[in-house]
Amino acid sequence: MRTLALYGAIGSLVVTAMATAPAGGAPAPPAAPPAPVPQRIAFGRCAPVEHLPATVQCGTLAVPLDYARPEGKKITLTVSRIRATAPQERQGALVFNPGGPGASSMEFPLYGALPKWRRTARAYDFVGYAPRGVGRSAPLSCQDPKEFTKAPTDTQRYPTEAFKRQKIAEARAYAEGCARNAGADLPFYNSLNNARDLDMLRAALGERKLTFMGASYGTYFGAVYATLFPGHIRRMIFDSVVNPDPRQIWYRNNLDQNVAFERRWGDWLRWVAAHDSTYHLGASPKAVQRSYDTAVQRVRRVPINGKIGPAQLQSAFLKTGYNDAYWPISAQSLAAYLHGDTKPMATQTLPKTSNDTAEENTNAVYTAVECNDASWPRDWATWDRDNTRVARTAPFETWDNAWMNLPCAFWPDRTESAAAGLDAATARMATGTSRDAAGHGLVYAADQMASTAVDEALGRRGPLDIRTAPGALPPVLLLAAERDAATPYPGAVELHRRLAGSSMVTERGAGTHGIALGANECVNHYTEAYLLRGEVPAHSASCPPRAEPVPNQQRQGTPTK
């Protein structure tokens, strides 16, 4: 992943020793050649498609598709920036990733105008970017976007055998679409390469050391980065932490997530029941659950606006598990719907602007990264057994989560991806209008097919064993909410253990996902003290929970995910 000059002595030693080690203790292949030194990013006006104001600058960064072949095919990442608002206080660039996989931070520079972020924006350039596969950064697609977003669709808490067969067929078709569209490039959309791209971005920004804030999935490839390049880190915040244990990536993490979402759903049910005088949905959690079940049955019979069925309703109410700020509007829209007013539910559930391409692209990148990062069960019996077991006590999200990840059961290996790419290139050569371009594509696909055969013979690599030695890292800060559903709290404890010398701040008794510079002033104090002055708690600290939402309180802005 990099030369000594670009990546530092510690990073290069770690790359050689760890990044090339395949799973299962097989002999390691030779270390990958160093990545090329990137050119400094030339920032200018943003493309209209980014929908960013003139105050934001944009640029592009070329990175290798395959870091084992740094002089081979390049892909281009889009980058955005607003300079520090107080140049005399500037400490460098702050790079942000909001998670996913599949999320873009191109809008991150605009955060500097928000009151909670203004002091940080005085000291840092705010830098966002679209990771590989996302947006205009070598975009991935696995299915026709209109087909992917078609609505209404059904979901079943305890699916019938016929429904399971339908979802299996859909998952297989989706995996085949990913292989067909991306071909031999597909395996290179993964967390290791996201970490390598991040270091290329650091260098292209002219930063000797990286200051980075990652939320949710951003904490996972941020932790990969910390393991590979500890000597390149200045400051790093992990906000809402993914469990990095290689045995958890990603199948078991998703099963744990289902249990945590059930707990958070219970938090919302209890809150609504406590405010029955406002919403009239039931005075107990069970009664509120019955109200929600009634709504599911109604939209199954008669979808709202012809677009909102059970799956769309479930997706909307899943947001209650991500952020307390969704609680009042969700309760209000459910109450209105059950009393005959569909407008609040439609407003909450239907997107304000329809962007089928962006929605499908986000899902394609999510799927590719998670399927490429680790081995998944290949037999349906394992999925059926495990999800049936979890759904007995955590039915709210379990099966929907399974369907989202099931393409990984049918995911092509590198040889299959390369073969799909060669088939597609051959077809373009036979039917394409540009014979020269098709010819180059065919040569590239054939080369990938040959090199993949060599790589596969060396053995499949597993997830990186994330950990750092004492003294290898500067102080880094972990932020975690005790009842977080998307990234359950034990994951933060595990990363805290693996990153020697790290500090952790826990928001006790709370479950909002993404807590930096938000509603909890105690958490904000620790966050700002770290970013602005490099101060961390000695080992760990606790903050009281944020105040619960007020009934009928309108949600301000978009909660952090």
Side-chain angles (χ1 to χ4, degrees), residues 264 267 324 479-484 489-490 492-493 496 504-512 515 520 522-523 539-548:
R264 279 289 282 164
D267 291 345
D324 296 0
L479 307 175
E482 214 169 27
R483 297 180 70 81
D484 188 343
Y489 185 71
V493 175
H496 188 28
M504 186 164 80
V505 174
T506 298
E507 186 180 16
R508 298 293 179 191
T512 287
I515 62 176
N520 192 312
C522 173
V523 174
H539 180 70
S540 61
S542 294
C543 288
R546 66 195 61 205
E548 285 194 338

Side-chain angles (χ1 to χ4, degrees), residues 35 105 291 420 471 502 553:
S105 61
S291 293
S502 61
Q553 184 181 56

Side-chain angles (χ1 to χ4, degrees), residues 26 35 152 178 181 232 295 347 366 441 461 473 493 507:
C178 295
N181 291 350
H232 293 176
T347 300
Y366 168 89
R461 296 173 179 85
L473 275 181
V493 175
E507 186 180 16

Side-chain angles (χ1 to χ4, degrees), residues 335-347:
Y337 173 65
L338 293 177
H339 289 87
D341 182 3
T342 63
K343 186 174 180 181
M345 187 70 77
T347 300

Side-chain angles (χ1 to χ4, degrees), residues 7 69 239 286 290 352 436 480:
Y7 300 106
R69 298 169 181 83
D239 181 6
K286 287 185 177 179
R290 286 194 296 270
K352 292 181 176 63
D436 287 345

